[in-house]
Amino acid sequence: RTIGDRIGEAKASGNLGNTLKVLGQFDEAVVCCQRHLDISREQGDKVGEARALYNIGNVYHAKGKHLSWNTAQDPGYLPQEVKDTLQKASEYYERNLSLVKELGDRAAQGRAYGNLGNTQYLLGNFSEAIAFHKERLAIAKEFGDKAAERRAYSNLGNAHIFLGRFDISAEYYKKTLQLSRQLKDQAVEAQACYSLGNTCTLLQDYEKAIEYHLRHLVIAQELGDR
């Protein structure tokens, strides 16, 4: 501010906002991220504007998740305050998405699709969540981003469960399992086995369910995860 560097001030405000978000000070975080947004617009900085929109989305997303932890409800069955907060997150991600499309930034589009999928899932809009996660998956494959691809499969599996499409969920979870082994991520492998065990139970394939749950148990023991 002293040297009149507006872009620097905008970035610093954005960083402050992100830090306050991590500290759980969501309302203060929004104020800082909003300053980042306002200055970026004033300066005609489209990249900064896109980043600020995304960051505000993240603050509302984190706030919504934080508020919903206290309710421990299934997705879709949320108190009004939580719904409103997640709806705001979704709106900012949508605005971010249209701007990064304009800028032709595919990686940023991927991130926006993933977060839109997650917010719609929490809101109980499972078909919309699936559409967004499919877009996320396509971009992850485009970039050869195996970790993002794995997350997309997992999220697609979760959303299909709530639509009662257990067989489709099982296919997505199998892909999650495959990739977690490729990535040598044992904790994620255990999670995938757990999801597959539960899905096989829903499909009444109890033999398979037992196999997956045993695998989950073995990894949990290996990792010393009580």
Side-chain angles (χ1 to χ4, degrees):
R1 278 181 179 158
T2 310
I3 61 171
D5 176 0
R6 292 294 276 168
I7 299 277
E9 185 185 339
K11 282 181 185 166
S13 299
N15 289 337
L16 259 175
N18 291 342
T19 309
L20 288 162
K21 177 198 77 179
V22 177
L23 290 169
Q25 296 173 17
F26 303 114
D27 298 336
E28 294 94 323
V30 168
V31 173
C32 293
C33 291
Q34 185 64 48
R35 191 181 303 131
H36 184 191
L37 181 63
D38 294 340
I39 299 173
S40 299
R41 281 188 176 145
E42 165 209 303
Q43 296 293 314
D45 174 8
K46 291 280 193 192
V47 174
E49 185 182 341
R51 206 161 283 159
L53 289 167
Y54 181 75
N55 288 343
I56 297 173
N58 281 347
V59 174
Y60 283 120
H61 194 173
K63 185 182 180 181
K65 281 199 286 194
H66 179 78
L67 291 170
S68 68
W69 284 335
N70 309 327
T71 63
Q73 296 272 341
D74 271 342
Y77 298 92
L78 297 167
Q80 196 55 49
E81 186 193 3
V82 181
K83 277 187 182 167
D84 293 343
T85 305
L86 291 169
Q87 201 49 59
K88 270 186 184 161
S90 214
E91 283 159 20
Y92 278 100
Y93 288 141
E94 289 273 14
R95 286 161 66 186
N96 164 263
L97 180 61
S98 67
L99 190 49
V100 293
K101 276 181 174 171
E102 197 185 303
L103 293 166
D105 185 342
R106 285 295 277 168
Q109 286 168 46
R111 289 192 291 274
Y113 280 126
N115 283 333
L116 277 163
N118 291 336
T119 47
Q120 290 305 311
Y121 172 81
L122 290 172
L123 285 163
N125 304 328
F126 303 114
S127 298
E128 289 89 332
I130 286 166
F132 286 129
H133 284 309
K134 280 184 172 167
E135 294 282 0
R136 176 68 193 111
L137 180 62
I139 295 174
K141 284 179 170 173
E142 213 175 283
F143 280 88
D145 183 343
K146 293 288 183 193
E149 190 182 333
R150 198 273 308 152
R151 287 194 299 275
Y153 283 134
S154 187
N155 289 328
L156 282 162
N158 294 344
H160 278 95
I161 289 280
F162 283 96
L163 293 176
R165 298 180 190 151
F166 307 134
D167 48 341
I168 299 175
S169 285
E171 290 313 307
Y172 281 123
Y173 288 141
K174 280 175 192 164
K175 288 180 168 162
T176 305
L177 182 58
Q178 227 178 324
L179 276 173
S180 66
R181 283 176 179 159
Q182 268 184 40
L183 293 162
K184 296 184 171 47
D185 187 334
Q186 276 201 299
V188 173
E189 185 182 340
Q191 279 170 7
C193 289
Y194 175 78
S195 298
L196 273 163
N198 290 341
T199 310
C200 288
T201 301
L202 292 167
L203 289 165
Q204 298 181 334
D205 184 350
Y206 303 116
E207 292 298 320
K208 268 276 180 242
I210 289 167
E211 258 179 60
Y212 285 122
H213 285 309
L214 279 171
R215 178 73 190 128
H216 177 206
L217 179 63
V218 169
I219 297 173
Q221 287 169 339
E222 277 175 21
L223 296 175
D225 182 342
R226 301 286 286 175

